[in-house]
Amino acid sequence: MSKEMLKFVNIEKETPFKKKVTTRKKDFKEIYSEFINEKAKEQSSRCSQCGVPFCQVHCPLSNNIPDWLKLTAEGRLLEAYELAQSTNNMPEICGRICPQDRLCEGNCVIEQSGHGTVTIGSVEKYITENAWDEGWIKPIKIKNEKEQSVGIIGAGPAGLAAGEQLRKLGYQISIYDRYDRPGGLLIYGIPNFKLEKQVVERRTKLLKESGIKYLQNFEVGKNSTLKQLREKHGAILIATGVYKAKEIEVPGSNLQNIFPAMKFLTASNKKGLGDKVELFDNGTLNAENKNIVVIGGGDTAMDCVRTAVRQNAKSVKCLYRRDKENMPGSAREVANAEEEGVEFVWLSSPKEFLGKNKIENLVVDKIKLGEPDDSGRRKPEIQEKSEFIIKADMVIKALGFDPENLPKLFNSKDLQITRWGTLKTDFDTMETNLPGVFAAGDIVRGASLVVWAIKDGRNAATSIKKFLENKETKRVKVA
Ligand SMILES: Cc1cc2nc3c(=O)[nH]c(=O)nc-3n(C[C@H](O)[C@H](O)[C@H](O)COP(=O)(O)OP(=O)(O)OC[C@H]3O[C@@H](n4cnc5c(N)ncnc54)[C@H](O)[C@@H]3O)c2cc1C
Ligand code: SF4
């Protein structure tokens, strides 16, 4: 293992899978800095209040960034928090894991003029963490609970944001989820070193204390049909995310120790939450002392390579068929992975998996980039007779996700989908073709971001409110 990699492994050993919020170790560049009051003030006062808030325009939630930066700079932290939370249901989570370099911070005017961006995400996280510490964040108190209820399928950020918005309005909320914990990919996808699980659990607990009912280990399609849920609730929100792993079809794919990314990450996250995970404990899903090869170039691939580093892998390689400039993952994540000792094998694609029963080697083709395809990206083409061998004890496939076949799964053939398998919704209302059934998050957009899931959840909640109000008006008129 390289010296670089050893350095990071040793650091992580000091903070293995903690349940509590961990403080940032000095050498970890990837995690937001642990702000103190003075630093937050200093960063906030760097905002030039430029008058054209490009940061706000490029935040999917249109957060009023300049104003909460100003309030923070003036030490008015309660007001700063109130403003930040008025547009975002999970500011401390977005502050941690939004790809700010592509959103708010990447469009900061100071950044554009070469002076380094205001670290907006860190300030957003600081304001909200401070609010938690001060006891300003409290469960929702309902004076007059409405009789109407909403059934939400999926306890990821889209479902949780919608649930919170509707609960504030007094509706009864039931969230059904097939996992044993709420949080969706916040809890079982995104690794602990990017988003501490205690931070997610604190939010989901708050919603429970606000009267939202979680029905865990409940799979719609198995434990009930969509029709049954529609009969039970005034409106339904489908926020099930996308979970069908994209496959790679090469000879040897059935060998042991070749896993989809979510299997590897879920085991690691469950371990971090203190669960007993047999396949991790018996070594099957543990990268320790193994040569790991991750296939893919997105953020999920980056999470896999960096998780493997933290599990004391012997070596970690990332195979990607394009070059660094054309990688879909965030440049910041790639830089962090490189710094931690991950070896990137650019312009390469697996041709065959070799081994007796278990994976032992990969035959890999070299790739050259051809003319741009329909998407505008240069097409990868195999270079003739360029193959080479890479040793591997475990292969992790991180090639992206497709939606599951929801009409089939939900026994609801009339539910319309797009040609990509995502749910077809009305652009304005987020309602599907079934009246009173709405959809939000990745199941509408395809694999996306937490901040967009929150945005969709909030928009869907607004439409659901209108729908339920109309329904109630009609009912009263008839009565
Ligand atoms: C490894 C990984 C890392 C990521 N890192 C980042 C990041 O750093 N920053 C960022 O912004 N985004 C990141 N993302 C993307 C982000 O997590 C998603 O865009 C976001 O979670 C989508 O939210 P959602 O609510 O639509 O779906 P999800 O979070 O996927 O939640 C869907 C929920 O629905 C439940 N469900 C599914 N089917 C059923 C059913 N039939 N019955 C009952 N329940 C069901 C699931 O169990 C799940 O809990 C990452 C994604 C992955 C996979
Ligand atoms: S929600 Fe994300 S994009 Fe918006 S201000 Fe916060 S960190 Fe930036």
Side-chain angles (χ1 to χ4, degrees):
M1 189 188 300
S2 71
K3 259 188 176 174
E4 270 301 294
M5 190 181 269
L6 206 63
K7 183 177 89 183
F8 278 90
V9 169
N10 286 339
I11 294 160
E12 189 61 12
K13 264 186 175 169
E14 295 168 32
T15 57
F17 306 129
K18 274 195 175 173
K19 271 199 154 187
K20 284 186 148 192
V21 178
T22 50
T23 40
R24 178 183 188 251
K25 292 284 161 190
K26 220 167 101 209
D27 299 43
F28 268 93
K29 304 256 164 42
E30 81 281 11
I31 306 178
Y32 41 86
S33 51
E34 202 60 47
F35 263 28
I36 50 161
N37 199 4
E38 286 316 308
K39 194 155 177 219
K41 272 191 185 172
E42 176 202 309
Q43 271 300 318
S44 302
S45 59
R46 290 185 62 236
C47 174
S48 66
Q49 299 289 319
C50 55
V52 190
F54 289 115
C55 54
Q56 183 170 1
V57 173
H58 287 88
C59 165
L61 293 163
S62 304
N63 280 345
N64 193 340
I65 301 162
D67 282 3
W68 50 250
L69 287 177
K70 190 165 185 285
L71 289 165
T72 307
E74 290 168 2
R76 294 157 66 185
L77 291 179
L78 175 57
E79 289 158 273
Y81 160 69
E82 278 172 351
L83 193 56
Q85 66 82 44
S86 67
T87 48
N88 190 351
N89 300 70
M90 304 174 187
E92 75 283 23
I93 292 179
C94 292
R96 283 170 165 88
I97 57 159
C98 269
Q100 287 103 5
D101 50 345
R102 305 202 300 254
L103 302 170
C104 52
E105 293 180 14
N107 292 281
C108 170
V109 167
I110 302 180
E111 169 82 351
Q112 304 296 325
S113 60
H115 292 94
T117 175
V118 175
T119 56
I120 298 166
S122 298
V123 178
E124 188 177 27
K125 179 208 157 217
Y126 168 75
I127 296 169
T128 320
E129 284 303 330
N130 181 65
W132 280 106
D133 291 346
E134 295 289 341
W136 297 335
I137 304 180
K138 297 208 170 71
I140 303 162
K141 289 253 177 321
I142 306 292
K143 276 198 188 128
N144 297 312
E145 188 174 72
K146 292 188 177 12
E147 275 182 23
Q148 287 169 304
S149 72
V150 181
I152 297 177
I153 313 171
L160 294 175
E164 181 173 11
Q165 293 303 102
L166 289 162
R167 185 64 188 154
K168 281 182 194 159
L169 297 167
Y171 292 104
Q172 297 178 39
I173 308 295
S174 298
I175 308 189
Y176 302 87
D177 201 293
R178 64 184 173 194
Y179 280 148
D180 55 351
R181 288 183 174 90
L185 288 174
L186 298 178
I187 204 93
Y188 285 142
I190 303 173
N192 206 38
F193 62 85
K194 271 168 67 182
L195 176 62
E196 311 93 312
K197 300 302 148 191
Q198 182 265 345
V199 170
V200 183
E201 290 184 317
R202 187 174 57 183
R203 272 280 158 203
T204 53
K205 182 167 168 269
L206 183 84
L207 296 182
K208 193 173 179 191
E209 288 163 2
S210 302
I212 288 179
K213 227 193 275 168
Y214 294 121
L215 293 103
Q216 301 298 149
N217 299 308
F218 189 111
E219 180 163 352
V220 179
K222 206 164 102 189
N223 300 99
S224 97
T225 61
L226 179 61
K227 187 166 174 268
Q228 285 165 333
L229 287 191
R230 288 179 79 191
E231 284 161 6
K232 201 165 168 189
H233 299 287
I236 296 288
L237 176 69
I238 304 177
T240 47
V242 288
Y243 283 88
K244 198 171 119 200
K246 286 191 174 140
E247 274 305 330
I248 179 161
E249 302 294 343
V250 296
S253 294
N254 57 348
L255 286 171
Q256 286 171 32
N257 290 354
I258 302 176
F259 301 110
M262 272 307 285
K263 192 158 184 180
F264 175 67
L265 292 173
T266 305
S268 175
N269 278 322
K270 276 186 171 280
K271 209 58 211 158
L273 284 153
D275 292 358
K276 196 171 158 21
V277 185
E278 211 184 311
L279 285 179
F280 184 93
D281 298 337
N282 70 18
T284 309
L285 285 170
N286 187 347
E288 185 166 7
N289 226 7
K290 291 180 185 158
N291 296 301
I292 306 295
V293 175
V294 175
I295 305 169
D299 287 341
T300 302
M302 294 311 101
D303 287 346
C304 290
V305 291
R306 300 179 72 205
T307 299
V309 169
R310 283 154 178 77
Q311 290 178 0
N312 285 347
K314 198 189 281 176
S315 72
V316 184
K317 290 190 173 60
C318 179
L319 245 66
Y320 181 55
R321 60 192 182 143
R322 290 189 164 93
D323 55 10
K324 194 173 181 178
E325 286 68 43
N326 287 288
M327 228 172 158
S330 130
R332 193 169 65 177
E333 293 278 307
V334 177
N336 289 332
E338 276 181 323
E339 201 177 307
E340 291 170 19
V342 173
E343 188 189 326
F344 284 85
V345 190
W346 309 111
L347 294 164
S348 61
S349 173
K351 181 180 189 172
E352 191 173 355
F353 297 130
L354 300 176
K356 242 184 171 179
N357 296 313
K358 295 178 179 169
I359 179 79
E360 289 167 18
N361 290 297
L362 279 82
V363 184
V364 180
D365 277 324
K366 279 193 182 158
I367 299 288
K368 60 175 189 253
L369 293 180
E371 292 302 310
D373 60 17
D374 293 346
S375 69
R377 296 172 78 201
R378 289 176 66 192
K379 220 167 134 190
E381 290 167 4
I382 292 171
Q383 291 191 38
E384 289 296 315
K385 300 201 176 113
S386 63
E387 60 201 45
F388 60 101
I389 300 278
I390 292 182
K391 190 172 165 41
D393 304 309
M394 189 199 283
V395 168
I396 301 165
K397 297 175 288 181
L399 298 133
F401 302 95
D402 284 322
E404 290 157 279
N405 185 342
L406 283 199
K408 190 169 169 210
L409 193 71
F410 285 2
N411 195 13
S412 185
K413 301 228 162 54
D414 45 354
L415 182 64
Q416 282 180 6
I417 53 173
T418 65
R419 64 188 164 112
W420 300 280
T422 48
L423 287 184
K424 214 178 221 178
T425 54
D426 180 294
F427 193 72
D428 292 325
T429 62
M430 311 195 71
E431 194 170 11
T432 66
N433 64 306
L434 305 180
V437 179
F438 298 77
D442 281 5
I443 192 58
V444 178
R445 294 178 176 272
S448 179
L449 293 174
V450 169
V451 65
W452 282 113
I454 295 172
K455 161 95 175 152
D456 283 355
R458 293 172 69 90
N459 287 353
T462 305
S463 297
I464 291 172
K465 170 186 177 273
K466 279 190 199 147
F467 173 85
L468 290 176
E469 280 171 356
N470 282 341
K471 205 171 172 178
E472 184 59 10
T473 312
K474 277 185 199 153
R475 189 187 68 82
V476 172
K477 267 189 190 159
V478 171

